[in-house]
Amino acid sequence: MRGTHGELDPVRRAVIHALELAEEDVARWCDGLSDVAMFARPGGLAPVAFHLRHMARSLDRLLTYAEGEALSREQLEALGTEMDGGSAAEVLAEFREGLQRAKERVRAVAPESFAEARGVGRKRLPTTVAGLLIHCAEHTQRHVGQVVVTAKISLLEHGVEPQDQRP
């Protein structure tokens, strides 16, 4: 409902809009998080850093399946490092770069391919190109919600009052 990307079909437009919303919410709640807050695990929750890495990397994996390809060894190895340390700046850069690449890849999908069958994972779970694109949007938004809640809790635990900056 943004009135943008009118050149795209409704499926790809919706995915691009979801990814743009993810970028905006992450910027609102994560820009300026300290390294400590980025990697904090309030109440045992997964840290903000995990969700940001997971969004970028899962988009890469889901779009690889949508493109009819198998995951690379590098993609499979990266699965085991989503909880690793680092800095807030590194994590945010990976997230932003991952979403930028994902938007380019979504735009490149031919609408004529939407009904094509695809398999996901080792079990080759059945879906379609359109199903994978839609899952990119919904999965990303689910993790954005977790990022916002975890960031707010982490800020509170570090003595910073989170401010909802929505108009």
Side-chain angles (χ1 to χ4, degrees):
M1 292 193 272
R2 295 181 149 218
T4 59
H5 308 297
E7 75 282 4
L8 296 174
D9 59 276
V11 172
R12 292 182 302 159
R13 183 181 319 131
V15 176
I16 296 293
H17 284 160
L19 298 180
E20 289 175 344
L21 287 168
E23 288 175 306
E24 291 168 14
D25 283 338
V26 167
R28 181 176 293 118
W29 292 105
C30 299
D31 282 359
L33 282 183
S34 68
D35 291 347
V36 171
M38 178 67 73
F39 291 92
R41 299 197 61 180
L45 295 172
V48 168
F50 163 78
H51 293 291
L52 296 178
R53 284 183 177 138
H54 182 70
M55 282 186 275
R57 295 176 189 183
S58 64
L59 283 166
D60 179 47
R61 292 188 296 268
L62 291 167
L63 290 167
T64 297
Y65 290 130
E67 295 161 348
E69 302 294 329
L71 298 184
S72 68
R73 182 179 61 209
E74 292 81 16
Q75 286 171 308
L76 292 169
E77 288 172 357
L79 273 167
T81 64
E82 291 178 352
M83 289 288 283
D84 286 1
S87 72
E90 292 167 343
V91 172
L92 285 166
E94 180 180 350
F95 170 78
R96 289 187 176 110
E97 290 165 12
L99 261 66
Q100 183 59 41
R101 283 191 307 272
K103 288 189 291 185
E104 292 166 6
R105 290 169 75 183
V106 167
R107 285 180 169 281
V109 174
E112 300 78 32
S113 71
F114 287 170
E116 290 178 13
R118 293 292 188 264
V120 175
R122 290 185 181 105
K123 293 183 179 181
R124 307 295 298 157
L125 299 172
T127 190
T128 62
V129 171
L132 282 159
L133 291 178
I134 291 165
H135 188 62
C136 284
E138 68 181 1
H139 181 262
T140 300
Q141 285 298 309
R142 186 177 313 137
H143 280 279
V144 166
Q146 293 173 305
V147 162
V148 171
V149 169
T150 306
K152 286 180 177 183
I153 295 169
S154 184
L155 287 168
L156 284 169
E157 286 189 351
H158 290 91
V160 178
E161 183 68 31
Q163 300 296 313
D164 188 343
Q165 300 172 19
R166 292 184 188 270

